[in-house]
Amino acid sequence: MSKRIVFFLSITLIMVLAYSYFCIPDKFEIEGGSCYQGITAMFIRFFLTICGVLNLLSITTINSKSKFKIAKVTSAISLMVWLAGFIIHSYNDFLVATKYFTPLLFLNFIIVVLVYGSNGKNKQSQTD
């Protein structure tokens, strides 16, 4: 994969992560009643951070032949974690969950397709 695509994916991932971190719906901020208010948003941000780290790891290791399996595993785990969050939260309010979870879910899917489609046989990876 070219450096330009890796750079574009990294910048796009950072922008989507910033959107997902700062634009969390009010529904998730007030969920849980008076005692546990904000706990849903805390868990979502925790899993968002995990997915962000896993995606960055998969993007940065995609061009390395020796670390290509890491890219496959981390991108798949990130997709499964964020998809599970989408499924859990769409049960109560599908529209809010779709608006919030779709950008990162779509980007996760693109990263998984690119990682599994490249098979570690890139021109740049032959020099590693």
Side-chain angles (χ1 to χ4, degrees):
M1 187 173 304
S2 71
K3 288 182 182 180
R4 181 176 286 168
I5 293 174
V6 171
F7 177 75
F8 174 74
L9 278 175
S10 300
I11 295 297
T12 306
L13 179 65
I14 290 169
M15 290 176 7
V16 169
L17 288 173
Y19 162 76
S20 297
Y21 192 83
F22 293 113
C23 297
I24 196 161
D26 289 335
K27 178 188 183 309
F28 299 142
E29 292 284 355
I30 61 172
E31 219 169 58
S34 61
C35 294
Y36 299 109
Q37 199 166 23
I39 199 160
T40 304
M42 181 191 69
F43 281 120
I44 289 173
R45 286 187 178 117
F46 173 73
F47 287 112
L48 175 69
T49 305
I50 289 173
C51 289
V53 169
L54 290 173
N55 277 327
L56 276 174
L57 186 63
S58 67
I59 289 172
T60 55
T61 59
I62 193 170
N63 285 331
S64 174
K65 255 188 170 176
S66 62
K67 298 177 184 174
F68 184 69
K69 288 184 181 179
I70 294 173
K72 281 183 152 184
V73 170
T74 56
S75 63
I77 290 172
S78 176
L79 179 64
M80 287 187 288
V81 166
W82 203 246
L83 184 61
F86 171 71
I87 291 169
I88 290 167
H89 290 289
S90 65
Y91 179 71
N92 292 332
D93 195 350
F94 184 76
L95 193 59
V96 171
T98 303
K99 285 182 192 177
Y100 178 71
F101 285 96
T102 301
L104 187 59
L105 195 60
F106 183 68
L107 188 60
N108 273 338
F109 182 73
I110 289 173
I111 291 171
V112 167
V113 167
L114 289 174
V115 167
Y116 279 87
S118 68
N119 290 326
K121 298 176 183 175
N122 299 315
K123 293 178 182 177
Q124 292 177 352
S125 66
Q126 294 173 355
T127 59
D128 288 343

